[in-house]
Amino acid sequence: MTESNAFSFTMDHVELFVPDRSQAAAWYARVLACRPVPGTEQWATHPQGPLMLSPDGGRTKLALFVGEPQGSRPTAGFHRVAFRLGGQEWLAFVARLAELGLEEGAGAARVVDHTGAWSVY
């Protein structure tokens, strides 16, 4: 990436698959002082949605999904790491999807509105 295309970002969240989100959340609360992130509760009500936890008020987060934990599936390891961009940087990034070979029509990327957050997958 050239200097003119550089983005300033911070880590937003890391996704983890756990058999029981409540049990995992209790462990992360006890061991790492992680608490549910205000404003994300609606995502956890969906069976496939994440329970968002944070030790620092939401600046960095763990996203707990129901599923097989690391080691018990062929694609064990990190599933996804998310980055946070400011509004103008987000728009600039999305505008570059075609240039990066990731435009939505090519099937390689999809832009999703999560109501309160946007993602590119």
Side-chain angles (χ1 to χ4, degrees):
M1 183 178 278
T2 65
E3 189 65 33
S4 64
N5 292 333
F7 293 103
S8 171
F9 65 88
T10 58
M11 189 70 62
D12 188 77
H13 67 273
V14 174
E15 295 183 359
L16 301 172
F17 288 85
V18 297
D20 183 312
R21 286 188 303 186
S22 296
Q23 185 179 33
W27 186 89
Y28 283 106
R30 182 174 53 83
V31 175
L32 299 175
C34 290
R35 303 287 181 253
V37 177
T40 66
E41 300 88 352
Q42 74 280 6
W43 297 338
T45 62
H46 189 282
Q48 296 170 330
L51 171 58
M52 304 298 284
L53 304 177
S54 177
D56 59 13
R59 288 187 306 275
T60 55
K61 297 177 281 297
L62 294 175
L64 301 182
F65 287 86
V66 174
E68 296 178 42
Q70 180 175 339
S72 61
R73 59 186 171 89
T75 57
F78 287 109
H79 177 68
R80 179 176 297 123
V81 176
F83 301 94
R84 181 181 308 138
L85 296 171
Q88 293 301 318
E89 292 172 315
W90 165 258
L91 293 173
F93 176 76
V94 171
R96 291 189 58 230
L97 290 177
E99 172 190 334
L100 298 170
L102 301 173
E103 68 266 7
E104 206 165 340
R110 60 190 170 99
V111 177
V112 178
D113 177 358
H114 296 290
T115 309
W118 285 83
S119 297
V120 174
Y121 296 98

